[in-house]
């Protein structure tokens, strides 16, 4: 509460108000301001918690997608299935779906 608000609550609004009634008005205004500040703090904390939860969920999703991409390229035995066949490389020979299997030396093998 600003000092101007305190002064406003302490000033009598009519000739019938005395110091006690002005102090009671100030105390009531302070209680209302305190409650509003508490509610605002709670709302802000909830928003921050929701943002943190959303960010963590997005990070977990991105990590899961990354793991999925890596797992798609790895067979059960731990070898990669991209362009490799046993100890050699697979090169597509022609457009008829035929493949040449080359060993590590680039020679044809089975």
């Amino acid at each position: 509460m600003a000092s101007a608000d305190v002064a406003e609550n302490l000033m009598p609004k009519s000739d019938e108000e005395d110091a006690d009634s002005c102090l009671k008005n100030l105390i009531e205004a302070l209680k209302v301001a305190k409650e509003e500040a508490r509610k605002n703090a709670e709302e802000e904390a909830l928003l921050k918690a929701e943002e943190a939860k959303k960010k963590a969920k997005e990070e977990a999703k991105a990590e899961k997608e990354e793991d999925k991409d890596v797992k798609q390229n790895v067979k059960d035995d731990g070898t990669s299935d991209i362009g490799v066949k046993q100890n050699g490389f697979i090169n597509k020979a022609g457009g008829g779906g035929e493949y040449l299997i080359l060993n590590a030396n680039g020679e044809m093998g089975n």
Side-chain angles (χ1 to χ4, degrees), residues 1-11 13 22 25-26 29-30:
M1 177 178 276
S3 58
D5 295 327
V6 172
E8 181 181 337
N9 282 292
L10 287 175
M11 296 281 214
K13 311 252 184 312
C22 291
N25 289 340
L26 175 62
L30 287 170

Side-chain angles (χ1 to χ4, degrees), residues 8-103:
E8 181 181 337
N9 282 292
L10 287 175
M11 296 281 214
K13 311 252 184 312
S14 67
D15 292 336
E16 296 171 3
E17 287 186 320
D18 61 355
D20 288 334
S21 65
C22 291
L23 284 174
K24 287 178 184 177
N25 289 340
L26 175 62
I27 291 170
E28 187 62 34
L30 287 170
K31 287 179 182 179
V32 169
K34 181 180 177 181
E35 183 64 23
E36 288 176 2
R38 184 190 62 79
K39 286 180 181 178
N40 289 339
E42 285 178 359
E43 288 174 6
E44 187 175 329
L46 285 174
L47 288 175
K48 284 183 180 181
E50 287 175 8
E51 289 175 10
K53 186 177 178 180
K54 183 178 179 182
K55 184 177 179 181
K57 189 175 182 179
E58 288 173 356
E59 288 174 356
K61 183 179 179 181
E63 186 175 315
K64 186 177 179 181
E65 287 293 324
E66 185 177 313
D67 289 346
K68 182 180 176 183
D69 290 342
V70 170
K71 287 179 182 179
Q72 285 178 342
N73 297 328
V74 178
K75 295 180 184 178
D76 291 336
D77 63 358
T79 60
S80 177
D81 64 351
I82 299 177
V84 177
K85 174 84 173 176
Q86 295 175 350
N87 290 332
F89 299 95
I90 300 175
N91 288 342
K92 191 167 184 175
E98 300 171 1
Y99 292 89
L100 292 175
I101 300 174
L102 304 176
N103 64 19

